[in-house]
């Protein structure tokens, strides 16, 4: 059984593509297409990693990171965003995000970063 | 004529028949309108259902294609069959619309190998030819959309067609064409900017600059050629690019532009000289100072503080006797930058001393 990864992304096409790539690499992938669904999954599942977009309906990626810290989960977090502004990146890390990538991103680079975080 | 017609049609019939005919005509008319509305609703709903279905099909196919690199290697039969399948699909307008939208969406979010594979696929399926057709015969908004598409998919052979629109009277078309031309032709083909007749907006300049950020620094050419443009906004844009990339090919050309008839060009040239740290330009600034209105003089003095040296201090000190607050403040700051310090022997007025205090605080809080 591969490591459990939660992918949260409101753009369904991108969500499917990331899930496809990670499943192909042997990860056990669960998907959420909005922040609310992602929070519910985080509360019930035991994920090794969450890959999340920042801009999502109902709850942003930053809020998900806060929720993970609040729930005291050991889930690592990698945030994706079209926002490359310094303050967004700094805020993500100050909230406890483990890694950050700006869109457009290379799926191979995403994979390398995921491997570095959870193996 | 009208009265005769009414009399001919209805005079021989009792009023009840006329009313019945009226109702029948009304019902018939309403039925026709209802049928037209229902038909268009059915067509629209069917189109939406088909779009959803096609979208799901293409999403699956394209996701597999971009990530199954070995299975869809460029020379493989699998790839050729895939291209053939999509080419057939693309003949249907709705399928093509969804296919292009899906390719663009994937291309927007991914870079690296998937991005390159999508660009190649787009070209191999021949989707650019449909875009060319729309640019030739479509409405303005369809053309603008196609410019975006060709730009995103870097269809270099579409550049001549797009360049025909870079001076178009419609702002939207013109700006989309210019932006697409940069994306399609890359930095090497930005010479078209010299031919622009209409001013290029600040927003457009920012968009193009952001696009240039995607190119490796060693591919960025010298932008000094833009300084020869007749359009002042292009000269300003050229100066911004030269400043951004710290290009030092011909600083004398920048000094020459300080005296440009358009003051904005001159001030941008000044910013540019500061950005590339061209210190010899400082000797030109006292002359420049006297050719400009009071509104721009503080900017020139500020530049002198950044580019000058102690030999420029007497010129600046003489300006302290001025009564214009902005000018004296700029002069004081420049003097401080050049190493001026206030001592009991410095014979400054109380006004100057007060400004010195503020200037010092602003520079070294």
């Amino acid at each position: 059984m591969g490591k459990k990864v939660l992918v949260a992304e409101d753009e369904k096409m991108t969500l499917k593509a990331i899930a496809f790539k990670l499943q192909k690499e042997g990860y056990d992938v669960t998907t959420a297409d909005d922040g609310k669904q992602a929070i519910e999954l985080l509360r019930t599942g035991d994920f090794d990693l969450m890959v999340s977009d920042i801009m999502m309906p109902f709850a942003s990626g930053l809020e998900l990171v806060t929720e993970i810290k609040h729930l005291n989960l050991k889930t690592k977090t990698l945030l994706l965003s079209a926002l490359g502004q310094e303050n967004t990146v700094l805020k993500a890390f100050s909230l406890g995000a483990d890694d950050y990538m700006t869109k457009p991103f290379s799926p191979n680079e995403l994979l390398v970063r995921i491997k570095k975080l959870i193996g | 004529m009208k009265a005769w017609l009414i009399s001919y049609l209805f005079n021989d019939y009792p009023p009840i028949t006329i009313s019945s005919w009226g109702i029948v005509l009304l019902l018939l008319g309403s039925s026709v309108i209802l049928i037209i509305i229902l038909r268009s609703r059915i067509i629209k709903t069917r189109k939406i259902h088909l779009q959803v279905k096609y979208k799901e099909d293409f999403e699956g196919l394209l996701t597999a294609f971009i990530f199954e690199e070995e299975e869809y290697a460029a020379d493989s039969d699998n790839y050729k069959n895939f291209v053939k399948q999509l080419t057939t699909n693309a003949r249907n307008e709705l399928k093509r619309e969804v296919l292009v939208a899906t390719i663009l969406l994937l291309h927007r979010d991914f870079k690296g190998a998937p991005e390159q594979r999508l660009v190649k696929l787009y070209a191999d399926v021949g989707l650019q030819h449909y875009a060319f057709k729309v640019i030739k015969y479509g409405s303005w908004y369809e053309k603008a959309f196609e410019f975006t598409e060709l730009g995103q998919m870097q269809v270099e052979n579409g550049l001549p067609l797009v360049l025909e629109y870079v001076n178009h009277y419609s702002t939207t078309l013109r700006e989309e064409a210019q932006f697409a031309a940069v994306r399609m032709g890359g930095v090497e083909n930005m010479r078209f900017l010299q031919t622009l007749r209409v001013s290029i907006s600040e927003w457009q300049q920012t968009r193009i600059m952001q696009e240039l950020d995607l190119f490796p620094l060693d591919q960025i050419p010298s932008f000094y050629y833009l300084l020869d443009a007749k359009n002042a906004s292009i000269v300003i844009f050229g100066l911004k690019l030269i400043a951004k990339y710290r290009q030092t090919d011909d600083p004398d050309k920048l000094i020459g532009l300080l005296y440009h008839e358009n003051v904005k060009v001159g001030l941008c040239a000044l910013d540019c000289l500061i950005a590339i740290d061209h210190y010899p330009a400082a000797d030109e600034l006292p002359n420049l100072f006297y050719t400009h209105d009071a509104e721009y003089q503080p900017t020139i003095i500020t530049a002198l503080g950044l580019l000058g040296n102690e030999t420029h201090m007497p010129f600046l000190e003489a300006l302290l006797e001025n009564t214009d607050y902005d000018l004296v403040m700029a002069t004081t700051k420049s003097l401080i930058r050049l190493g001026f310090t206030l001592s009991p022997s410095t014979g400054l007025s109380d006004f100057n001393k007060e400004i010195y205090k503020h200037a010092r605080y602003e520079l070294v809080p």
Side-chain angles (χ1 to χ4, degrees):
Chain A
M1 194 70 172
K3 298 261 170 111
K4 287 181 77 179
V5 180
L6 170 66
V7 183
E9 161 72 73
D10 61 330
E11 182 50 66
K12 291 193 176 68
M13 176 82 227
T14 312
L15 177 67
K16 272 187 194 173
I18 297 172
F20 182 92
K21 178 77 178 169
L22 297 186
Q23 275 161 352
K24 199 169 160 255
E25 295 298 322
Y27 291 101
D28 177 11
V29 182
T30 307
T31 58
D33 56 17
D34 65 51
K36 197 174 156 192
Q37 203 188 343
I39 288 178
E40 280 164 17
L41 286 165
L42 280 170
R43 283 179 184 156
T44 53
D46 183 20
F47 296 100
D48 297 294
L49 170 77
M50 176 189 75
V51 177
S52 170
D53 187 18
I54 285 197
M55 305 281 276
M56 279 192 302
F58 305 119
S60 72
L62 297 175
E63 285 171 281
L64 295 186
V65 174
T66 312
E67 185 68 16
I68 285 173
K69 299 293 160 195
H70 178 72
L71 294 171
N72 230 356
L73 301 174
K74 285 181 181 165
T75 308
K76 301 266 185 188
T77 50
L78 190 157
L79 295 181
L80 298 170
S81 177
L83 306 168
Q85 291 105 330
E86 191 191 19
N87 56 353
T88 315
V89 181
L90 291 177
K91 192 168 181 196
F93 282 116
S94 71
L95 287 172
D98 295 288
D99 206 349
Y100 188 101
M101 282 180 85
T102 310
K103 287 181 187 174
F105 62 94
S106 153
N108 289 335
E109 189 184 333
L110 174 73
L111 212 59
V112 170
R113 287 173 186 256
I114 289 175
K115 278 183 183 156
K116 203 177 163 199
L117 286 174
I118 57 168
Chain B
M1 174 76 179
K2 197 177 164 189
W4 174 84
L5 189 66
I6 291 168
S7 135
Y8 175 80
L9 284 173
F10 300 115
N11 266 1
D12 293 339
Y13 300 100
I16 186 73
T17 316
I18 297 170
S19 312
S20 308
W21 271 110
I23 290 168
V24 167
L25 282 174
L26 199 69
L27 283 173
L28 267 174
S30 311
S31 310
V32 170
I33 292 170
L34 197 68
I35 288 168
I36 291 171
I37 293 172
L38 279 174
R39 188 173 172 273
S40 80
R41 290 292 290 269
I42 289 167
I43 291 172
K44 204 175 167 187
T45 314
R46 191 168 167 265
K47 193 179 169 188
I48 292 169
H49 281 304
L50 281 174
Q51 268 175 331
V52 172
K53 185 189 172 296
Y54 295 155
K55 191 167 181 276
E56 274 174 15
D57 292 348
F58 288 133
E59 277 177 0
L61 285 171
L62 290 170
T63 306
F65 162 73
I66 57 171
F67 294 129
E68 303 278 11
E69 292 173 34
E70 283 166 23
E71 199 180 323
Y72 291 98
D75 296 328
S76 68
D77 286 341
N78 254 356
Y79 179 70
K80 283 172 193 160
N81 290 334
F82 185 56
V83 169
K84 211 171 163 184
Q85 183 190 350
L86 292 186
T87 309
T88 312
N89 277 313
R91 287 190 194 118
N92 174 307
E93 197 183 340
L94 185 62
K95 283 186 183 174
R96 184 173 67 246
E97 223 172 75
V98 178
L99 174 64
V100 170
T102 314
I103 289 178
L104 292 179
L105 194 67
L106 275 173
H107 184 269
R108 188 198 65 189
D109 278 352
F110 294 110
K111 65 178 182 186
E115 181 194 8
Q116 288 155 14
R117 287 168 68 75
L118 286 168
V119 168
K120 182 171 164 36
L121 180 73
Y122 178 92
D124 289 347
V125 174
L127 293 169
Q128 71 277 25
H129 299 299
Y130 294 102
F132 295 161
K133 221 179 265 179
V134 174
I135 290 174
K136 276 184 186 159
Y137 306 110
S139 54
W140 71 269
Y141 56 89
E142 288 172 325
K143 285 177 201 256
F145 180 82
E146 295 306 339
F147 290 153
T148 311
E149 180 183 319
L150 293 178
Q152 193 178 337
M153 301 317 291
Q154 296 143 34
V155 183
E156 209 173 332
N157 61 355
L159 192 59
L161 187 60
V162 173
L163 287 179
E164 286 176 23
Y165 291 86
V166 294
N167 278 308
H168 199 271
Y169 63 86
S170 155
T171 311
T172 310
L173 262 189
R174 185 174 68 236
E175 292 197 338
E176 288 311 314
Q178 290 165 1
F179 188 58
V182 174
R183 298 186 94 185
M184 289 156 77
V187 280
E188 288 303 324
N189 286 316
M190 277 176 66
R191 285 189 177 267
F192 78 89
L193 288 172
Q194 273 182 306
T195 66
L196 298 188
R197 293 189 294 271
V198 186
S199 284
I200 180 168
S201 66
E202 295 240 354
W203 162 243
Q204 181 76 335
Q205 292 177 28
T206 308
R207 278 173 89 196
I208 295 175
M209 276 184 160
Q210 280 182 344
E211 188 59 26
L212 292 180
D213 287 343
L214 303 176
F215 291 90
L217 272 180
D218 59 351
Q219 279 182 25
I220 301 289
S222 166
F223 289 111
Y224 273 80
Y225 67 88
L226 291 176
L227 305 184
D228 296 326
K230 286 179 184 145
N231 183 335
S233 69
I234 296 300
V235 179
I236 289 174
F237 186 41
L239 288 166
K240 285 182 189 171
L241 291 170
I242 290 166
K244 179 179 161 92
Y245 294 105
R246 308 277 194 277
Q247 295 176 335
T248 53
D249 314 28
D250 190 0
D252 287 343
K253 201 165 190 171
L254 301 178
I255 292 175
L257 285 174
L258 290 175
Y259 296 96
H260 196 277
E261 56 184 7
N262 184 322
V263 181
K264 280 186 186 168
V265 172
L267 294 179
C268 270
L270 196 55
D271 285 340
C272 200
L273 285 162
I274 294 169
I276 64 169
D277 295 328
H278 188 63
Y279 299 109
D283 293 336
E284 201 61 39
L285 299 184
N287 294 333
L288 188 72
F289 177 82
Y290 291 113
T291 61
H292 278 68
D293 294 339
E295 186 187 351
Y296 305 110
Q297 285 177 339
T299 310
I300 297 167
I301 294 304
T302 302
L304 189 56
L306 295 166
L307 296 174
N309 52 49
E310 65 278 6
T311 63
H312 301 106
M313 284 171 82
F315 168 75
L316 291 170
E317 281 176 278
L319 293 177
L320 288 177
E321 288 171 18
N322 206 291
T323 52
D324 182 283
Y325 176 85
D326 291 336
L327 180 62
V328 177
M329 177 57 103
T331 307
T332 310
K333 279 185 185 170
S334 289
L335 277 167
I336 292 170
R337 283 197 179 103
L338 297 177
F340 176 88
T341 47
L342 185 67
S343 66
S345 59
T346 321
L348 288 182
S349 68
D350 289 345
F351 172 65
N352 287 129
K353 280 179 188 164
E354 198 58 31
I355 288 185
Y356 179 86
K357 241 196 302 181
H358 285 289
R360 182 122 204 114
Y361 180 75
E362 278 181 32
L363 289 177
V364 195

